[in-house]
Amino acid sequence: MIPPLRPYVTSLKTSLLPQSAFSWLTVIYMSLISWLMSGISRYLGARPFTVGLMATLAWIFLALGVG
């Protein structure tokens, strides 16, 4: 890695990674991943049930993470 960029990368890593696995940030990331997978599956032509299930799980994870 380029030495001048090392402090920025470590700062970004510490701000994006949650402190523990049972963190609210983990649930928010699960929401984002579910939402992305829902969009990708819609683009690839998955069944509407599968797309709806992943989108619903994304909303549930978002509500749990924010709550």
Side-chain angles (χ1 to χ4, degrees):
M1 180 180 303
I2 302 171
L5 294 178
R6 190 174 305 258
Y8 298 113
V9 171
T10 56
S11 170
L12 186 66
K13 186 188 289 187
T14 57
S15 65
L16 288 180
L17 292 179
Q19 297 294 327
S20 71
F22 301 108
S23 171
W24 63 272
L25 195 55
T26 305
V27 183
I28 298 290
Y29 286 156
M30 287 170 53
S31 171
L32 290 173
I33 289 170
S34 296
W35 179 72
L36 279 171
M37 293 305 291
S38 172
I40 290 171
S41 65
R42 180 180 294 162
Y43 176 72
L44 292 176
R47 293 184 177 171
F49 174 76
T50 306
V51 175
L53 180 67
M54 285 190 281
T56 302
L57 285 174
W59 281 109
I60 290 171
F61 290 145
L62 182 66
L64 288 174
V66 170

